[in-house]
Amino acid sequence: MERRAAAEIILGLGIAALGAFILYETQAIRVIPIYAKVGPKDIPILVGVILALLGLALAWQGWRAKPAPRLDPPAVMDAPGSKLDAPGTGGDTTDWIPLAAIAIGLIQQILLFEFLGFVPTAAILFFCVAFGFGSRRYLRDVLIAIALSIVAYVGFVHALGLHLPAGILSGVL
Amino acid sequence: MGALIDGFATALTFANLGWCVLGVTLGTAIGILPGIGPALTIALLLPVTAHLDPTGAFIMFAGLYYGAMYGSSTTSILLNTPGESGSIITAIEGNLMARQGRGAAALATAAIGSFVAGTIGTVLLTVLAPLVVKVALKFGPAEYFALMVLAFTTVSGLLGSSRLRGMISLFLGLVIGLVGTDSLTGQARFALGRPELLDGIDITVVAVGLFAVGEALYVASRVDLRTAEIIPVKGSLWMTREEWGRSWKPWLRGSFLGFPFGALPAGGTEIPTFLSYFLEKKLAKRPEEFGKGAIEGVAGPEAANNSAVAGVLVPLLTLGLPTSATAAILLAAFQQYGLQPGPLLFTNPGTSTLVWGLIASLYLGNFMLLLLNLPLVGMWVRLLSIPTPLLYGGILVFATLGVYSYNQSVFDLGLLLVFGIVGYVMRRFDFPVAPAIIGMILGPLAEENFRRALSITQGDYTVFVTHPISAVLLAIALLIVVAPFLMRLRQRRRPVSA
């Protein structure tokens, strides 16, 4: 089976499951009798039902897809900042190492943010992302990562008055 | 007219001129940098601007929105990378011009065309807004609900490669919008027992996750997208007589083509740019140049793109109806200040100075942008030489900083990762992101109006079809959803011939 069709089936079933979960969760919404006519439950039920149907439609579309050559038009409505996603540019090759590097950068920040503070975790994130995008000039990246994180911290906390955890550097910055 | 003059009095104060300069400069920079757009930037600025004077903040946001359109045409021409979906044509035709050594002329016709179209679009906005306000004052909850349903169908049905994918994106947005406390009864919905979710999910988290994190993951995962070739600017920025002669009509046609597409909830800037391209090709004396770098093919679509942006502001300001991702985030920004865009924004004396100051600042901003983007273009081009790994590293550091500082919540950083993965999957499998953003912002408003309309009529559902405006709007929405299916059925019934 074609990869795109398989993806549509899996995604479609996942979306249908999300719709079902929403329907299940609407049971937890309390409805006061005076609002019973059109209360806080009705629209969520409608959204859940339609989402589940749309998911099933996507899975059905993937199931019925013919293994024909891909003739998809370029995705017109891409996110701002996207590169042209034209067919034939190697769109099906996914490089997993960069994804893992960026994910590690984000997860370490979630886990260590309040303990280590903004500056160290942001610097590690920057380094992970640069590595993920193929940079191998480690010394340059580390220096820029540290400099940028310190400048961002000082600028946002002292100039703009936002609150960021100082962590292990509290008292220094 | 008097209102606009008062607006200039607001916009021309020292502080507000400063916000305008800051907005257009920042907008040009982010438009030029690949990987960030106006929607993402405004979302990231929401936490920083929460304590500012709203007039100044909106003048800055508007400058940023206009500026990003100018900047992204530069990137499209020199890098073959459309900064946002409205510059796809420029990325093709303008880049071809640059490859032929006519990059400077392409930049010039794009910048001057953007100025012409932006100014015409703003004039149309000035004239139309009070008229729409007059009609909108008669709207009740039923009409608003119908209008929002129409916007849902157009943003999910008319855009993107697949209607089904657009609808799924929209409904994912609606689900995100449902999380939190119900506005009419105060009941918690879908909070899953987490106190952090009781206030709902912030647009900043969702927009930054889908746009910045999702985009970074996607671009990093594709070897072919990680590198791009910058074409140096060649030729003179002063267009020749012939180039002026070939540009001015496409500018005007593009301006009048783009505006209605932005203003009607027909959504988005890409359809008018494509239409303008085909129109210019048809009208050109030398259509064979199209696809090889024709100046008309840059002038027309660029104008259409910019005047559509001005058009988007009409439903946003007069009806509170966003038709693009950026407009949805601007609506969230209004809500942050406790303001609800709509006719009352114009009639209420307190907010009418804000909205007319904003409109006046668009005229000034356009003029500043012409100066920023034409004589100073060489300075901006240097931004393109920032290596991609460092650029995305910086984007993600500021993305996490902005998301955390909104609520000082590590939980939001976790949500950011979740929406980043969702954004990656959507990009990878061609789901448009804009319907999700619009659904998330507009969904709760639609539900509120739906329930208000029904509580006025004591639960009588016929209110939506007995009110004529509401009935017409809902009929159009139904047609947009159903028509393609009917057409496909008809095609199938016809015997297949040759």
Side-chain angles (χ1 to χ4, degrees):
Chain A
M1 191 184 293
E2 221 188 321
R3 286 179 66 180
R4 188 183 168 82
E8 281 188 347
I9 295 174
I10 295 168
L11 285 175
L13 293 177
I15 290 161
L18 177 64
F21 175 72
I22 289 163
L23 289 177
Y24 172 77
E25 273 290 316
T26 51
Q27 292 178 351
I29 302 172
R30 282 194 303 138
V31 180
I32 304 161
I34 23 164
Y35 294 111
K37 255 179 201 153
V38 241
K41 262 186 184 184
D42 301 75
I43 294 286
I45 290 173
L46 186 73
V47 169
V49 168
I50 297 180
L51 187 67
L53 291 176
L54 289 172
L56 291 177
L58 186 70
W60 175 244
Q61 184 176 303
W63 181 253
R64 287 198 22 196
K66 293 171 198 120
R70 279 187 58 179
L71 284 171
D72 298 332
V76 174
M77 192 62 212
D78 275 333
S82 309
K83 309 220 169 184
L84 253 193
D85 195 8
T89 49
D92 272 338
T93 48
T94 299
D95 209 347
W96 290 101
I97 293 171
L99 287 183
I102 298 173
I104 289 170
L106 289 167
I107 293 167
Q108 64 82 26
Q109 195 175 35
I110 296 166
L111 298 177
L112 304 174
F113 200 66
E114 290 191 326
F115 172 63
L116 286 182
F118 171 78
V119 174
T121 51
I124 297 171
L125 172 67
F126 184 96
F127 183 82
C128 288
V129 175
F131 180 86
F133 274 82
S135 171
R136 295 296 176 267
R137 295 171 63 181
Y138 301 118
L139 185 64
R140 177 197 72 173
D141 293 352
V142 168
L143 291 177
I144 293 178
I146 294 171
L148 181 79
S149 308
I150 292 175
V151 168
Y153 182 89
V154 172
F156 279 85
V157 172
H158 295 298
L160 290 170
L162 294 183
H163 178 77
L164 293 171
I168 49 170
L169 290 175
S170 57
V172 183
L173 287 174
Chain B
M1 204 61 221
L4 183 66
I5 292 166
D6 289 344
F8 273 105
T10 310
L12 282 169
T13 61
F14 186 72
N16 287 340
L17 267 179
W19 289 119
C20 189
V21 172
L22 185 66
V24 294
T25 313
L26 210 58
T28 308
I30 59 151
I32 283 182
L33 290 174
I36 35 178
L40 171 65
T41 311
I42 296 175
L44 273 177
L45 284 173
L46 286 183
V48 187
T49 53
H51 309 294
L52 285 181
D53 154 52
T55 310
F58 280 105
I59 285 177
M60 178 172 73
F61 289 154
L64 211 144
Y65 191 19
Y66 270 35
M69 299 297 144
Y70 279 76
S72 72
S73 54
T74 305
T75 311
S76 308
I77 290 166
L78 300 179
L79 210 62
N80 188 18
T81 303
E84 36 81 49
S85 45
S87 1
I88 289 173
I89 295 280
T90 314
I92 299 166
E93 205 69 26
N95 190 250
L96 288 167
M97 281 183 75
R99 281 173 197 277
Q100 291 176 359
R102 290 158 62 213
L107 289 174
T109 198
I112 302 171
S114 297
F115 172 73
V116 170
T119 307
I120 292 177
T122 311
V123 171
L124 292 174
L125 165 70
T126 312
V127 175
L128 270 178
L131 302 177
V132 182
V133 163
K134 256 184 213 155
V135 179
L137 280 170
K138 298 191 184 105
F139 280 19
E143 283 79 10
Y144 274 112
F145 172 73
L147 200 61
M148 287 166 185
V149 170
L150 179 62
F152 287 152
T153 58
T154 54
V155 296
S156 62
L158 297 178
L159 308 173
S161 52
S162 144
R163 193 172 289 270
L164 180 59
R165 287 172 150 73
M167 298 273 282
I168 289 175
S169 174
L170 172 73
F171 273 84
L172 287 177
L174 293 178
V175 168
I176 299 168
L178 284 175
V179 175
T181 308
D182 173 37
S183 62
L184 293 181
T185 61
Q187 297 300 316
R189 298 196 295 189
F190 306 103
L192 309 176
R194 298 288 313 208
E196 293 94 338
L197 288 177
L198 280 177
D199 285 334
I201 299 174
D202 284 311
I203 183 74
T204 304
V205 181
V206 179
V208 174
L210 294 183
F211 287 131
V213 180
E215 182 73 11
L217 289 170
Y218 182 70
V219 177
S221 75
R222 295 267 306 266
V223 184
D224 50 319
L225 292 184
R226 269 188 248 147
T227 49
E229 179 199 357
I230 308 171
I231 299 170
V233 186
K234 283 196 193 120
S236 165
L237 278 170
W238 302 106
M239 294 198 295
T240 63
R241 204 183 177 77
E242 191 218 343
E243 284 162 344
W244 277 96
R246 290 174 62 178
S247 291
W248 72 271
K249 279 185 202 156
W251 290 339
L252 292 181
R253 283 194 289 258
S255 305
F256 286 101
L257 196 64
F259 187 84
F261 276 92
L264 296 172
T269 52
E270 48 288 315
I271 299 171
T273 57
F274 281 96
L275 286 178
S276 165
Y277 183 78
F278 293 119
L279 179 73
E280 295 310 330
K281 191 174 176 180
K282 219 164 200 161
L283 295 173
K285 283 194 190 114
R286 280 166 287 182
E288 68 279 2
E289 275 186 27
F290 278 71
K292 290 179 196 142
I295 194 165
E296 295 93 337
V298 179
E302 267 305 306
N305 183 10
N306 267 59
S307 83
V309 167
V312 164
L313 293 176
V314 175
L316 175 68
L317 295 175
T318 59
L319 298 167
L321 196 71
T323 53
S324 73
T326 312
I329 291 167
L330 280 174
L331 181 62
F334 275 104
Q335 292 169 341
Q336 173 177 293
Y337 287 105
L339 302 167
Q340 185 60 49
L344 297 179
L345 201 64
F346 285 80
T347 52
N348 186 328
T351 52
S352 80
T353 50
L354 185 157
V355 77
W356 284 107
L358 174 70
I359 292 173
S361 80
L362 295 176
Y363 289 97
L364 304 174
N366 248 314
F367 187 68
M368 291 179 201
L369 280 165
L370 186 66
L371 297 181
L372 269 180
N373 281 272
L374 215 47
L376 299 178
V377 74
M379 187 183 81
W380 295 111
V381 170
R382 279 194 209 137
L383 280 179
L384 287 175
S385 53
I386 298 175
T388 318
L390 304 182
L391 177 64
Y392 276 93
I395 291 173
L396 285 203
V397 165
F398 284 105
T400 50
L401 188 159
V403 164
Y404 173 82
S405 58
Y406 203 55
N407 291 326
Q408 274 115 54
S409 148
V410 176
F411 181 80
D412 279 355
L413 287 179
L415 280 180
L416 179 72
L417 178 63
V418 171
F419 286 112
I421 294 168
V422 172
Y424 167 75
V425 173
M426 289 176 78
R427 282 283 282 126
R428 174 73 180 76
F429 296 103
D430 287 334
F431 287 85
V433 176
I437 301 283
I438 293 171
M440 169 188 177
I441 295 293
L442 212 45
L445 293 174
E447 183 187 7
E448 211 177 296
N449 281 298
F450 177 74
R451 285 161 61 185
R452 281 232 176 92
L454 286 175
S455 68
I456 293 170
T457 61
Q458 316 265 314
D460 178 9
Y461 283 87
T462 58
V463 60
F464 298 108
V465 286
T466 49
H467 285 208
I469 298 174
S470 155
V472 169
L473 292 172
L474 286 176
I476 299 172
L478 188 70
L479 207 67
I480 289 170
V481 175
V482 176
F485 290 103
L486 294 179
M487 266 152 60
R488 213 185 296 163
L489 272 182
R490 267 187 63 180
Q491 273 177 349
R492 214 176 275 172
R493 234 179 266 159
R494 217 177 293 156
V496 186
S497 56

